[in-house]
Amino acid sequence: MNIGQEVLELLKEEITDVQYNRYIKQLTYDAKKSGGDLAIFYAPNALISNWIKSKYSEKIAHLFEIKSGSKVSVKITLKNSTDSKSKKQKNEQKQHSLLNPSHTFDNFMVGGSNQFAYAAVKSVSEAAGQVYNPLFIYGGVGLGKTHLMQAAGNVFQNQGKSVIYTSVEQFLNDFIRHVRNKTMPSFQEKYRKCDVLLIDDIQFLSNKEGIQEEFFHTFEALKGNGKQIILTADKHPKKIGGLEKRLQSRFEWGLVADIQPPELETKIAIIKKKCEINKVKLSNDIINYIATVIESNVREIEGILSKLHAYSQLMHIDIDLAFTKNVLKDQLQENRANLTLDTITNNVAKDLNIKPTEIRSKGRSKNLVYARRISIYLCRELTQNTMPQLAQYFGMKDHTAISHTLKKINELMKNDEDFKVKIEELTNKITSAS
Ligand code: ADP
Ligand code: MG
């Protein structure tokens, strides 16, 4: 048994049989291409690969570290995505991480939330080193930073440029290895002579002085030669603590662009795109449902799609709305565990421009009744509170008053399109902010 298989065996003990059989069992380890600080696994399709990446890759990396005693970066990829590459590309890839070939501009859905970052990366991809250098993209988890950065990387790679895509951690490991082997000149040659350097999640440089120093010199050399640098982080350079001043200011030299959580339309477009790529058929009401209830994190949306796909295949069931709701139940409960009645009421109040205390008052004016109905409905849907708890919170007599209100709301949901839209909009807003 090779180390990859051993690691998967270890993982088997930590997860349920269903999870193991459905996903992990489908992985094959490439003992030939793996080695050093790289472990490559192949998945049979993009859905399984994405699902494993989002759910298990950290665990696998951790188990690898336990087994091998050193840090490795785990790549879950599709078999033919590496086999079909030319020899030259293969050699290049040996030196650094693979760019995901499906992270292209075409596959990236643009909306208000990400159009600034998109436009910035796009123009950099059309004129390396000439417009914004460095380009710094920041935003929350799963909002498409890596995707965008690699989309530019793929463009450059197709032009025959030498592109290095790496994480701070890999950069650091590489550095340490070269220091240990006394081969620093080749480290410097590698990082200072490439055409394009992409470093993901640069916030991990924080408080690592030694590597900041090395990175500073790499940066200076590349920038001095007009080579393009693209960086991503979870926050604005100013907000990353533990960074040398000179680095922080350099990060802002070019352009700093943010990515915000996608709005409903963008989420819908992304889901449609992912369905197309992964050949999953979903009706519009299912797509709308997923877009409405799922948090902003796009990676999570992908997880849902592969889960739906896998379940429907295993159980030979067509994916309908009821089935979707069922599959999403656990996921939603996880997301919503942190939502409180106050959060929901405050959000509704803010949106409707009234005071939260008014919602909980006995006021009977039309807009208060409207706001209260919406709040009650959302509190019922998005939290685990019982009807008596809700009655107490909203200052109503008892649970029958709540139950009466919920009945009324259900009628409105059926007959009043505006009301329904408002509910969806607020659900979306509240669940993506949590
Ligand atoms: P981040 O690096 O910001 O954490 P990623 O770039 O890894 O996020 O994105 C997570 C997943 O969501 C990826 O599979 C990516 O393809 C997808 N994704 C994110 N934003 C979009 C978008 N606007 N259009 C299409 N796919 C997207
Ligand atoms: Mg990323």
Side-chain angles (χ1 to χ4, degrees), residues 264-308:
L264 189 60
E265 286 73 40
T266 316
K267 273 196 277 181
I268 291 175
I270 294 173
I271 297 173
K272 287 189 171 158
K273 189 72 191 180
K274 298 290 173 194
C275 287
E276 181 193 315
I277 294 174
N278 293 306
K279 303 194 172 57
V280 179
K281 278 212 173 70
L282 295 182
S283 66
N284 281 338
D285 57 337
I286 295 178
I287 292 175
N288 288 342
Y289 176 76
I290 299 175
T292 313
V293 297
I294 281 302
E295 268 194 79
S296 52
N297 186 339
V298 179
R299 199 170 293 138
E300 198 168 26
I301 290 181
E302 295 194 302
I304 296 284
L305 292 185
S306 50
K307 208 168 174 178
L308 280 177

Side-chain angles (χ1 to χ4, degrees), residues 50 103 107-110 114 139-148 200-201 259 266 270 273-274 297-299 302:
N50 288 335
H103 283 163
N107 287 344
F108 191 84
M109 298 296 106
V110 186
N114 57 27
V141 176
L143 300 185
K145 302 182 296 295
T146 300
H147 184 137
L148 266 184
D200 220 349
D201 294 314
I259 298 195
T266 316
I270 294 173
K273 189 72 191 180
K274 298 290 173 194
N297 186 339
V298 179
R299 199 170 293 138
E302 295 194 302

Side-chain angles (χ1 to χ4, degrees), residues 59-79:
K59 243 197 173 98
I60 295 177
H62 179 67
L63 293 172
F64 242 105
E65 195 180 337
I66 293 175
K67 270 268 160 206
S68 69
S70 61
K71 270 212 153 43
V72 290
S73 91
V74 172
K75 290 284 144 223
I76 315 272
T77 181
L78 300 183
K79 185 138 187 82

Side-chain angles (χ1 to χ4, degrees), residues 46-90:
L47 281 168
I48 300 231
S49 145
N50 288 335
W51 180 245
I52 293 178
K53 263 189 235 165
S54 69
K55 282 276 169 188
Y56 303 108
S57 62
E58 271 171 31
K59 243 197 173 98
I60 295 177
H62 179 67
L63 293 172
F64 242 105
E65 195 180 337
I66 293 175
K67 270 268 160 206
S68 69
S70 61
K71 270 212 153 43
V72 290
S73 91
V74 172
K75 290 284 144 223
I76 315 272
T77 181
L78 300 183
K79 185 138 187 82
N80 46 14
S81 73
T82 48
D83 282 359
S84 59
K85 295 270 157 68
S86 70
K87 236 196 177 129
K88 177 171 167 282
Q89 276 176 322
K90 268 191 195 161

